[in-house]
Amino acid sequence: DAAVTQKPRYLIKMKGQEAEMKCIPEKGHTAVFWYQQKQSKELKFLIYFQNQQPLDQIDMVKERFSAVCPSSSLCSLGIRTCEAEDSALYLCSSSQRQGLSQNTLYFGAGTRLSVL
Amino acid sequence: GDSVTQTEGLVTLTKGLPVMLNCTYQTTYSPFLFWYVQHLNEAPKLLLKSSTDNKRTEHQGFYATLHKSSSSFHLQKSSVQLSDSALYFCALSEGTGGYKVVFGSGTRLLVSP
């Protein structure tokens, strides 16, 4: 099985604080996705990177988040000012680029953010 | 835009019974369908996938058949086990080499002894 590593597993922040979480994609995977999952429900797409370049992101990410992949082996997702509604599990996934539509997404175990 | 509908939010069953989790989709492209499973406090992982019309795909006792005529990709198992208790997501990817993956809202399966 492919291995996507996410750190930290748990993150507790006060409202207004900054948060940062990291993801190490599977080696050789050039596509990286971030998803937000609240209360073990649906996966909400946040942002997509291809070869470290952000190619698609939702408005919320543009406005309040910071996401980069400074190398092929490290990506990070940050929240500039945490709000209560940001409490969620943040999942990073990676995939091979070639024939992307049919490629499996490999997920990390996630970073669970709690905003108090 | 593309969409995936999973009608059941929660399915509760007794061990040994059959199960079918519904998944229908909408897309104007040639679809590639996936089922992902997420056990408690674990990462989602692929269960099975298909883009071939009317061909049954199987893995770990689960099976699904993509029916393009009805835009469906229901997940089935003939006899559920306690270890099958998990959250199941149906997902759709454009079959044109695109990157977008649309997930359904998920169905939680709870299997009791």
Side-chain angles (χ1 to χ4, degrees), chain A residues 9 33 35 37 40-43 48 55-56 89 91 97 100-105 107-109 112, chain B residues 32 34 36 38 41 43-44 46 49 87 89 93-101 103-105 108:
Chain A
R9 286 296 306 274
F33 302 79
Y35 292 89
Q37 185 181 34
S40 297
K41 293 184 178 177
E42 60 193 277
L43 303 181
Y48 159 62
L55 297 187
D56 191 15
L89 181 67
L91 291 164
R97 173 61 182 96
L100 191 61
S101 61
Q102 61 186 302
N103 285 336
T104 300
L105 290 177
F107 287 86
R112 186 169 297 283
Chain B
F32 212 104
F34 303 79
Y36 285 88
Q38 184 181 25
N41 296 324
L46 179 72
K49 63 181 180 180
L87 187 58
F89 291 101
S93 178
E94 297 175 10
T96 58
Y99 65 88
K100 278 194 180 291
V101 178
F103 284 87
S105 55
R108 182 166 296 283

Side-chain angles (χ1 to χ4, degrees), chain B residues 74-89:
Chain B
H74 305 319
L75 181 68
Q76 297 179 262
K77 190 174 186 183
S78 58
S79 175
V80 293
Q81 304 302 310
L82 295 176
S83 59
D84 295 328
S85 294
L87 187 58
Y88 292 81
F89 291 101

Side-chain angles (χ1 to χ4, degrees), chain A residues 38-56:
Chain A
K38 291 186 177 183
Q39 296 179 327
S40 297
K41 293 184 178 177
E42 60 193 277
L43 303 181
K44 179 180 180 179
F45 167 81
L46 295 178
I47 188 167
Y48 159 62
F49 288 85
Q50 181 56 242
N51 290 322
Q52 303 163 236
Q53 298 302 310
L55 297 187
D56 191 15

Side-chain angles (χ1 to χ4, degrees), chain A residues 54-114:
Chain A
L55 297 187
D56 191 15
Q57 57 189 301
I58 63 173
D59 287 342
M60 179 180 76
V61 171
K62 293 176 188 175
E63 294 164 4
R64 299 198 304 109
F65 287 58
S66 59
V68 293
C69 290
S71 74
S72 61
S73 59
L74 180 64
C75 293
S76 67
L77 180 69
I79 306 174
R80 285 187 276 269
T81 307
C82 288
E83 299 178 1
E85 66 187 40
D86 298 327
S87 294
L89 181 67
Y90 291 84
L91 291 164
C92 176
S93 67
S94 69
S95 179
Q96 294 176 336
R97 173 61 182 96
Q98 199 69 25
L100 191 61
S101 61
Q102 61 186 302
N103 285 336
T104 300
L105 290 177
Y106 293 92
F107 287 86
T111 293
R112 186 169 297 283
L113 172 65
S114 297

Side-chain angles (χ1 to χ4, degrees), chain B residues 23-25 33 53 65-74 90:
Chain B
C23 172
T24 56
Y25 64 89
L33 273 296
D53 199 10
T65 303
L66 177 60
H67 292 296
K68 293 184 180 180
S69 61
S70 58
S71 299
S72 67
F73 190 57
H74 305 319
C90 183

